[in-house]
Amino acid sequence: MTDEASVKQIEAFAHPAAQAALGVEGGTTGWKGELLHIHIAPAASYEMEKLAVATCVAGRGIEGDRYFLGTGTYSTRPDVRQITLIEQEALDALARNDPPLQESPVVLAPEEHRRNLTVRGVPLNHLVGRRFRVGEVILRGGRLNFPCKYLEKLLDRPLFLPLYNRSGLNCGIEKGGIIRPGDLIELLD
Amino acid sequence: MSDRLIMKLRVVSARLTTPDVLVLDLQHPKRPLLPAWTPGAHVDVMVAGGVRQYSLWGDPEDRAYYRIAVKREAGGRGGSKWIHDHAKEGSELHVSAPRNHFGLDGKGGRHVLVAGGIGVTPILAMSRALAAGKADFTVHYCARSASEAPLLDELRTVCGDRLTTWFSQQGRRLDANTLLAQAAGAELYTCGPNSLTAALETAIAAQGFPVELYHREHFAALSDADFVPDSFEAVIASSGRTLHVPADRSLLEVLRDNHFVRGSSCEIGVCGSCECGYVSGDVIHRDAVLDLKARASRLMPCISRARGTVTLDL
């Protein structure tokens, strides 16, 4: 395990993307979403492991995850990666081959996409610079996730273009706690 | 970081096939099917302090198991000893998804396969595929004796009378020149110690055997004890930045220090993970992965170096 000091994280709202969105009105409100799956991996390239319950630590990450431990592919790069989310709706669209960017649908199982939380009914692209809660945990949207060639190589499937602009949200943890699949997700401000 | 998924697999069977070769059957504890592979593929196994490559010798159609064979290398770097000491029935090994640098190229024609000792593993998987495809093939297996030839029974079952054994304790040694003369026009695949591949390559050069028909897998770094590394400069083509690579450091280490993220695994030039393009420069290739054509524009920064300045396609 790496000690906390070597885990380079940017506070979510200090990220330029969040800075630009903070204090600017707009985005969808009044929605209610659900946490479907929780996954973590102990280190870069390791298979994601499904959790029935996870402990989120404010300012650090999910206990046991590579970005909590400092063992992730991008751990040495200062960034917002305490917890990452992706929309089930985006995965459903890939599975329908919508839009048809490649020959056939891309089925990405919840343990494959390497984001920590798979959620439904949560407009992630509206949550940069916003606070929202997952059960008792409060997250801050820092920046949109960007698809990486690394994932494409790891899974040997075309993913870069299909995930473009719907690759999820990288967040900081403002208030830690316990989360479980089924937890309610809603906007705080 | 590897660019292949690493899985925590369970050892479901561990048995010695010879006094120093441990055969392991690995299964995913949560999934019925492991990632698919083709004959000639290998996996990375994480060991204390590093990573080792092992060919899969089982049947690719049976995706419930990966089968590997690990020879205890007394003079090795300690990885095989670690596996022999730690891999027991029920224990866990961290294993990557397979990669293949040594695949059958799918052409019809005749195939001649040559295995030396533990190099039998990919040859066994290839033999099974060729036998299933009713291909014209022969297999030559070199070892000290039958009792020291890993997986000999399995190879016999697959090959029947297509197998010729060469056991040096019986005074039978494979003659590379005779073999090549018999292999005229065939695709030649070999995996074994450097002494075996060196003998074949000498004969290939002497007889003018077409190099495009020759395929080899290395599981040891090329031996070049006389090589003295020198410092050199690496220029990043996209930015023009120059990085100094001291004599006692690898290009891979220097790239990493400067935040160029590269996958790597074996770090002795046999796995191909850290492959990088270059635009110009006098590169000293020391890997066992890239063929001559690839070497014109690709290099393995874990082990290969340059004279003077090399410009990297980064």
Side-chain angles (χ1 to χ4, degrees), chain B residues 234-243 255 258-260 279 310-314:
Chain B
V235 176
I236 307 302
S238 60
S239 65
R241 200 171 147 210
T242 299
L243 308 175
L255 287 172
N258 289 279
H259 309 293
F260 290 93
V279 182
V310 60
T311 302
L312 301 175
D313 191 9
L314 287 175

Side-chain angles (χ1 to χ4, degrees), chain B residues 4-309:
Chain B
R4 280 177 295 164
L5 201 62
I6 301 168
M7 301 167 286
K8 295 177 179 176
L9 300 186
R10 184 166 297 145
V11 177
V12 291
S13 160
R15 65 180 171 92
L16 288 170
T17 173
T18 71
D20 61 357
V21 175
L22 183 66
V23 167
L24 300 175
D25 289 358
L26 308 170
Q27 202 176 31
H28 199 295
K30 292 182 186 145
R31 295 177 219 274
L33 297 182
L34 290 162
W37 58 284
T38 51
H42 69 267
V43 294
D44 289 351
V45 178
M46 312 300 137
V47 299
V51 178
R52 297 292 179 272
Q53 276 79 37
Y54 295 100
S55 295
L56 299 174
W57 63 266
D59 184 350
E61 299 293 316
D62 179 4
R63 287 177 51 197
Y65 301 96
Y66 285 159
R67 302 201 145 115
I68 61 172
V70 179
K71 183 183 181 192
R72 184 192 278 266
E73 302 281 1
R77 294 173 290 161
S80 64
K81 182 177 179 301
W82 185 90
I83 294 174
H84 274 249
D85 292 346
H86 287 83
K88 314 255 183 275
E89 209 175 296
S91 65
E92 187 181 85
L93 279 187
H94 297 187
V95 178
S96 75
R99 174 192 326 233
N100 199 343
H101 294 309
F102 187 52
L104 287 165
D105 63 11
K107 289 197 203 98
R110 194 157 66 94
H111 290 72
V112 175
L113 313 183
V114 184
I118 192 63
V120 70
T121 48
I123 299 295
L124 175 51
M126 290 174 159
S127 302
R128 192 180 288 108
L130 291 169
K134 309 225 182 299
D136 178 7
F137 75 103
T138 54
V139 179
H140 297 263
Y141 188 11
C142 310
R144 196 169 313 161
S145 65
S147 63
E148 292 162 281
L151 302 169
L152 177 60
D153 291 343
E154 288 82 352
L155 189 63
R156 272 210 177 106
T157 304
V158 165
C159 299
D161 60 8
R162 296 175 181 280
L163 174 66
T164 306
T165 55
W166 301 92
F167 298 136
S168 58
Q169 265 188 4
Q170 298 173 350
R172 284 172 51 77
R173 285 179 191 279
L174 178 73
D175 180 75
N177 281 304
T178 311
L179 175 86
L180 276 192
Q182 292 166 353
E187 298 278 344
L188 178 63
Y189 288 83
T190 184
C191 183
N194 286 336
S195 56
L196 175 68
T197 45
L200 283 170
E201 285 166 23
T202 303
I204 282 167
Q207 297 191 18
F209 185 87
V211 289
E212 64 273 18
L213 297 180
Y214 173 65
H215 317 270
R216 60 105 174 85
E217 177 80 310
H218 275 284
F219 274 111
L222 298 178
S223 56
D224 50 357
D226 296 335
F227 182 79
V228 181
D230 214 344
S231 67
F232 62 100
E233 311 302 318
V235 176
I236 307 302
S238 60
S239 65
R241 200 171 147 210
T242 299
L243 308 175
H244 177 70
V245 185
D248 63 346
R249 305 208 66 207
S250 72
L251 174 56
L252 179 65
E253 289 172 319
V254 171
L255 287 172
R256 278 207 188 119
D257 287 354
N258 289 279
H259 309 293
F260 290 93
V261 178
R262 299 222 67 80
S264 77
S265 173
C266 74
E267 305 203 0
I268 57 168
V270 299
C271 77
S273 299
C274 65
E275 183 177 334
C276 175
Y278 70 97
V279 182
S280 62
D282 184 5
V283 173
I284 308 166
H285 293 282
R286 302 178 62 227
D287 65 279
V289 179
L290 297 172
D291 62 26
L292 290 175
K293 194 167 160 242
R295 286 182 170 195
S297 61
R298 315 288 298 170
L299 64 83
M300 293 294 170
C302 67
I303 188 111
S304 295
R305 308 185 67 84
R307 290 179 195 88
T309 300

Side-chain angles (χ1 to χ4, degrees), chain A residues 42 44-47 49 73 77 111 114 150 153-154, chain B residues 1-8 28 31 46 94 261:
Chain A
S45 304
Y46 273 74
E47 267 187 306
E49 295 167 10
T73 303
R77 304 225 305 238
E111 70 276 9
R114 303 193 78 75
Y150 164 67
K153 279 186 90 171
L154 203 60
Chain B
M1 154 184 152
S2 152
D3 60 5
R4 280 177 295 164
L5 201 62
I6 301 168
M7 301 167 286
K8 295 177 179 176
H28 199 295
R31 295 177 219 274
M46 312 300 137
H94 297 187
V261 178

